[in-house]
Amino acid sequence: ARFFWQTDQKQSLRQRVELLRHVTFQKDLGSYYDKTMRVQHMASWLAEIVKQSGTAIRPGIVHKAALLAKTDLTTELVKEFTELQGIVGGLYARVQQLDEGMNPDVQLEISRAIYDHYKPESMEDGVPPTVEGAVLSIADKADSIAGMFALGLIPSGSKDPFALRRQANGIVKTIADHKLPLRLAEIMADARVRYKGSEAEKKFSNAAYAESVRGFFRERLEFYLKDAHEPRYAYDVVNAVLAVDSDDVVDAAARAEAVSKVRGSADFESISIAFKRMKNILRQAAEKTKVIALRVDPSGLQEESEKELAALIPQTVATVEKLRAARDYEGALLEIAKLRPAIDKFFDKVMVMVDDETLRANRLSLLQTVVKEFSTIADFSEIVTEGKESTR
């Protein structure tokens, strides 16, 4: 190891960038030089998003680290000890002169980002400790996943030869642990764009790229929330929050936490049962091609209980939206739960599927409004309850 170390120092990491042209990343996706260029551009873009959100990050460090991150693949030490990829690059970046007059602090941060960019290699492994390393790690993994998916090399069953699930798990965990303001669909869309105009793109058959990537990452986020996040969330809670949005990892975890906190209350359970009933009624109405009014006509409501519910909706929506915007999801859910008396009274007193077409359409519209306006945090119908559901 000492001999290889000393031999490797005859060429700097900067000089080794060109050597990456001769190291194949994947036979249809080009060389590691091509990958380096894509990852560098993507990592810099992600760094700017993170910076604009107010998170402390140094984009220059990300840019430089991305350029040098794969250069240790050309070293004798990594050729001999392949499991040290990334680690060797980080160590060499720490001791070599990267740029004349470079601040030692900057060089240290670049070396740390390189050293950690393969992390996490499992859900038990730690994520890169610095934000710069985290962004580089995400860009590197996203590039690999995008290329393989565009080629149609999608994991199926137990087959995952390119360890794409592990890399996607790493992206989810890194975003969650650093609370980064990055959306999965946007990351993967940008990763795909980086291949535009390349030789690899000629081999792509990716008509369903966006949909397949979205489904793949939803599974990874579901796995993270149920099996890797601390605390772990119940499967129905995870299904409820991901039914609304499975793109924002940090937001999904926050919503899952809020639902977990309030789900044990009687009001919340009653609301969950009510939402199941509403969705069942709306589904049956759609199956029978029953007309649903575009908007609720207050003057067309007959029963006091339906008038009361209709009157409560606007003010409750305004309060919930305000709390949601502040990411006070627990407060928003508690506000929605306050609708319980009105919803219970509605179902006790009102028959929705009446023969009068106009009245029925208006009542269906009222249910549709409730479901739409109050399902922005979680789909309550996904919550498993012990209560009975009915459709009428």
Side-chain angles (χ1 to χ4, degrees):
R2 184 181 292 114
F3 170 76
F4 289 139
W5 177 288
Q6 292 169 348
T7 302
D8 288 338
Q9 302 315 311
K10 294 174 184 177
Q11 277 188 302
S12 68
L13 295 183
R14 186 65 186 83
Q15 291 170 323
R16 291 179 181 277
V17 173
E18 282 297 312
L19 299 180
L20 291 174
R21 293 182 185 275
H22 308 294
V23 182
T24 302
F25 166 47
Q26 199 273 345
K27 64 183 181 68
D28 293 320
L29 299 179
S31 68
Y32 266 99
Y33 179 86
D34 300 323
K35 180 177 176 65
T36 293
M37 295 299 105
R38 291 192 302 269
V39 171
Q40 187 179 42
H41 284 112
M42 185 179 180
S44 294
W45 172 72
L46 292 175
E48 282 302 322
I49 293 175
V50 171
K51 183 179 179 180
Q52 288 171 20
S53 76
T55 302
I57 187 172
R58 297 156 85 176
I61 287 171
V62 176
H63 189 75
K64 186 70 173 183
L67 178 67
L68 304 177
K70 300 300 180 185
T71 53
D72 67 356
L73 297 176
T74 68
T75 65
E76 297 302 315
L77 193 51
V78 170
K79 287 175 186 176
E80 185 68 23
F81 304 106
T82 55
E83 68 274 15
L84 295 181
Q85 59 185 6
I87 294 172
V88 167
L91 295 175
Y92 285 4
R94 190 172 299 184
V95 299
Q96 292 180 2
Q97 181 178 7
L98 300 183
D99 279 325
E100 191 172 345
M102 177 178 281
N103 186 306
D105 173 59
V106 171
Q107 180 163 345
L108 178 62
E109 291 306 306
I110 291 170
S111 71
R112 290 180 70 189
I114 296 171
Y115 188 95
D116 294 317
H117 83 278
Y118 284 99
K119 292 182 176 181
E121 297 199 46
S122 71
M123 279 302 193
E124 290 71 43
D125 191 17
V127 303
T130 67
V131 179
E132 291 80 8
V135 167
L136 176 56
S137 170
I138 291 166
D140 180 38
K141 292 173 174 61
D143 175 79
S144 297
I145 295 169
M148 299 303 179
F149 265 71
L151 289 174
L153 301 174
I154 300 171
S156 61
S158 61
K159 294 181 179 179
D160 187 10
F162 301 102
L164 301 185
R165 290 192 185 101
R166 188 183 72 199
Q167 295 190 63
N169 287 343
I171 291 174
V172 169
K173 182 177 171 67
T174 301
I175 291 174
D177 284 13
H178 278 282
K179 299 194 182 304
L180 297 175
L182 302 174
R183 295 185 66 86
L184 295 170
E186 291 174 8
I187 292 172
M188 297 313 299
D190 187 78
R192 169 63 186 85
V193 167
R194 301 297 168 186
Y195 281 94
K196 193 170 183 180
S198 69
E199 283 297 310
E201 192 176 34
K202 297 175 183 177
K203 301 179 176 67
F204 288 173
S205 56
N206 61 341
Y209 172 84
E211 197 55 44
S212 58
V213 165
R214 185 180 294 111
F216 177 66
F217 270 96
R218 189 197 184 285
E219 289 176 1
R220 297 302 93 208
L221 180 52
E222 181 181 341
F223 168 74
Y224 171 76
L225 293 173
K226 288 197 302 185
D227 300 304
H229 187 277
E230 289 298 336
R232 298 179 181 184
Y233 299 116
Y235 77 95
D236 58 335
V237 169
V238 174
N239 289 341
V241 299
L242 296 190
V244 173
D245 180 12
S246 59
D247 251 3
D248 188 328
V249 175
V250 178
D251 190 64
R255 287 183 289 118
E257 181 180 4
V259 173
S260 293
K261 285 183 177 178
V262 304
R263 71 167 298 176
S265 71
D267 283 348
F268 188 75
E269 179 164 333
S270 178
I271 287 286
S272 298
I273 294 169
F275 268 73
K276 285 186 177 69
R277 292 176 67 177
M278 291 180 200
K279 292 190 81 169
N280 284 338
I281 292 169
L282 291 167
R283 186 186 69 250
Q284 290 190 8
E287 289 171 355
K288 295 175 182 177
T289 63
K290 301 297 184 183
V291 174
I292 301 177
L294 293 176
R295 61 184 61 83
V296 179
D297 177 9
S299 65
L301 300 173
Q302 295 181 351
E303 302 286 344
E304 280 304 314
S305 57
E306 59 185 333
K307 291 177 183 178
E308 181 184 336
L309 179 58
L312 279 173
I313 290 173
Q315 62 196 62
T316 308
V317 166
T319 305
V320 168
E321 280 303 305
K322 188 175 180 181
L323 292 167
R324 190 179 185 282
R327 295 207 173 192
D328 180 1
Y329 296 130
E330 186 178 354
L333 291 172
L334 291 173
E335 196 65 31
I336 293 170
K338 291 178 184 178
L339 289 171
R340 176 191 176 177
I343 292 176
D344 285 351
K345 190 188 296 184
F346 174 86
F347 279 119
D348 284 341
K349 304 291 185 182
V350 176
M351 174 72 76
V352 178
M353 301 302 283
V354 292
D355 292 332
D356 185 321
E357 185 175 336
T358 302
L359 183 58
R360 182 180 64 235
N362 207 29
R363 286 174 176 172
L364 286 170
S365 181
L366 178 59
L367 295 190
Q368 191 171 66
T369 300
V370 172
V371 170
K372 180 183 175 184
E373 294 292 352
F374 300 115
S375 295
T376 57
I377 296 172
D379 180 348
F380 305 121
S381 67
E382 292 285 347
I383 300 296
V384 175
T385 59
E386 296 179 5
K388 295 180 181 179
E389 300 147 34
S390 65
T391 58
R392 69 187 195 106

